[in-house]
Amino acid sequence: MLTIGIDLGGTNIKGGLVHDTKGLLHTFSISTEAEKGKDHVIDRVAMAIRMAERKADGEIFGVGIGSPGVISLDRTTVSNPPNFPGWIQENLAEKLNQKTGLNCFVDNDANLMALGSSRFGAGKAFDSFIMVTLGTGVGGGIIFQRKLFRGATGGAAELGHVIVDSDGPNSNSPTKGGIEAYLGQRFMSALAWAEIKKRPDNPLYKQFAKNPAALEPVHLVNEADIGNALATELLRKSGEKLGIALVNYIHVLDIRKILVSGGVSRAGDYILRPARETAMKRLLEPYRYDFEIIYESLGNDAALLGAGCLPLEHQNI
Amino acid sequence: MLTIGIDLGGTNIKGGLVHDTKGLLHTFSISTEAEKGKDHVIDRVAMAIRMAERKADGEIFGVGIGSPGVISLDRTTVSNPPNFPGWIQENLAEKLNQKTGLNCFVDNDANLMALGSSRFGAGKAFDSFIMVTLGTGVGGGIIFQRKLFRGATGGAAELGHVIVDSDGPNSNSPTKGGIEAYLGQRFMSALAWAEIKKRPDNPLYKQFAKNPAALEPVHLVNEADIGNALATELLRKSGEKLGIALVNYIHVLDIRKILVSGGVSRAGDYILRPARETAMKRLLEPYRYDFEIIYESLGNDAALLGAGCLPLEHQNI
């Protein structure tokens, strides 16, 4: 069965032709041109859909679109996507259906990462799991009994905004002390710099004193790799906070398989080992059994694959 | 339709005959005699079931039992109930079925409170809600689309062990800084006393200096009622922590109707208003819409009613 997956970003629209068992058959990218306004962007997405359709040697079952912004429970309408000037609220699915004649559905990136992983990645092994995406921000998706758990209005799994310290630092949200404030790329870097600047003897200080804003989690990983104990310590602290957040997810959901993906997750065991150790200490005893953190290696393909799975999931296929 | 609800406690076994629309028709209580061992307790529960059955003027559809301990996903087996000597693991549902000839199901108290509220209490108004029970401990139950959300293995909604401060105080669990450590009756009292003892001029100090262990949340409420500002402040602090926990539940589940019950919830607005204010400040903006905290006034009847509903819920009735 063939579907089309679209990843609508502020800069580029990525597209893919997806086969339900073979995965991504063909991918491409065009510019979004968000500055030209909403109607133009919708035309660009319709164009991307037609580009993918042209590569298909059979009927297209439907189209899934990963989009920023708030998505309605019925997976049609996108409200207030950041970095899309003039876009308040739009029934994107209906508009695209009119333009392409194909059945279209919309969801957010982290949900689609979870769905893609569930059907093509590490998530295939589990009926239920929690996907945590560690990137610029921290996002999440919940797969429960092989379907996305969407909550009452479609907004479940805002996992980056689960609080681990009520008086903790700010992130991009009113949720002070949320896990994103510790692990979101920019916030993690800022917290790390606050420590590094106390240690002018450290190589990290010397490297970034002139431009602390250039510090990224990957630099901590590189330094940890060559034995910089401060770098290891800073990554460990972030990992411990992640462990606290995992305890919260698990005590609410009783889903004990955690999949992680996204740029920061490439810090691997520097973050995931302390996360695991902290969670194993803090989880109620029966919840430790079967608890596991797994790295999802599909990378960004997971979101495109997940978008392609969305029309199937919607029909319980 | 008639069912039987049983609430198995360490001291008493409460029983009720439940009608699916009229509610509790008849209730009673017998002693548990837990010290005489597991088999004796199971005989007592079977006796309670027969006592309820004798009051029925029609067929009994099934029996629901609220039990402490860890309950299996299939609602049959109870492991390690605290305060039940000699009880490791037992298929309680099967044993009772053999003894009574009735279809029996087991669940935990907080889940049954949620189910009872959903069918007979304040929860009737909502398809999905989160029940938070504020008693000796803090427990929870999640109703999602009119059914209990049980997670992957039946252990969802351990809401008292959701962490609000990673370095917070201990409760009865390894989950340091969980909301139970702030709002569980004994922990809340101990935290309050730590502040009261710094204020020897306060009436609460004078009242409890000789026996701080006698201090209970209800005393704070009584003092707040007559204008004791310290008491109001202590209740407010606990309420703010509850607000943080609610943010965590809502960001994971996207279920925005919160029902509270249990002894400590009688502190009412002293706790619930700061909880609401804190949550409204910390929730992501779209999640504030429709957010509501509602007091469940069914009291302990909710658990017995919920037990009676369990056989129906199991059959999707």
Side-chain angles (χ1 to χ4, degrees), chain B residues 38-88:
Chain B
K38 184 185 66 179
D39 293 337
H40 183 76
V41 169
I42 295 171
D43 281 338
R44 301 283 293 171
V45 176
M47 190 173 95
I49 293 171
R50 283 188 294 261
M51 284 168 68
E53 199 178 6
R54 249 175 263 133
K55 298 286 175 181
D57 61 358
E59 205 190 338
I60 299 289
F61 184 83
V63 180
I65 301 126
S67 170
V70 177
I71 317 287
S72 62
L73 182 59
D74 69 356
R75 308 294 109 185
T76 64
T77 303
V78 177
S79 304
N80 306 308
N83 310 317
F84 284 77
W87 188 313
I88 309 295

Side-chain angles (χ1 to χ4, degrees), chain A residues 85-151:
Chain A
W87 188 313
I88 310 295
Q89 191 173 66
E90 185 65 58
N91 190 321
L92 182 62
E94 194 181 87
K95 277 272 167 73
L96 289 170
N97 178 279
Q98 283 162 7
K99 285 178 193 288
T100 66
L102 293 168
N103 255 329
C104 299
F105 303 92
V106 192
D107 211 324
N108 76 54
D109 269 1
N111 274 356
L112 294 180
M113 292 282 281
L115 194 55
S117 172
S118 145
R119 298 194 174 209
F120 290 99
K124 277 170 81 172
F126 312 114
D127 284 343
S128 302
F129 65 86
I130 299 168
M131 164 70 74
V132 185
T133 62
L134 304 171
T136 311
V138 175
I142 299 164
I143 297 286
F144 180 61
Q145 294 172 349
R146 302 236 159 241
K147 301 257 299 171
L148 275 168
F149 177 84
R150 293 192 162 102

Side-chain angles (χ1 to χ4, degrees), chain B residues 2-6 15-18 28 48-54 56 60-65 102-103 304 307-311:
Chain B
L2 290 171
T3 59
I4 292 169
I6 299 286
L17 187 64
V18 180
F28 58 91
I49 293 171
R50 283 188 294 261
M51 284 168 68
E53 199 178 6
R54 249 175 263 133
I60 299 289
F61 184 83
V63 180
I65 301 126
L102 293 167
N103 255 331
L304 216 47
C309 297
L310 196 55

Side-chain angles (χ1 to χ4, degrees), chain A residues 18 26 45 118 143 177 179 185 195 223 271 296 313:
Chain A
V18 181
H26 173 73
V45 176
S118 145
I143 297 286
I179 185 63
Q185 210 159 309
E195 295 302 313
E223 278 296 307
I271 284 181
E296 171 55 81
E313 201 234 9

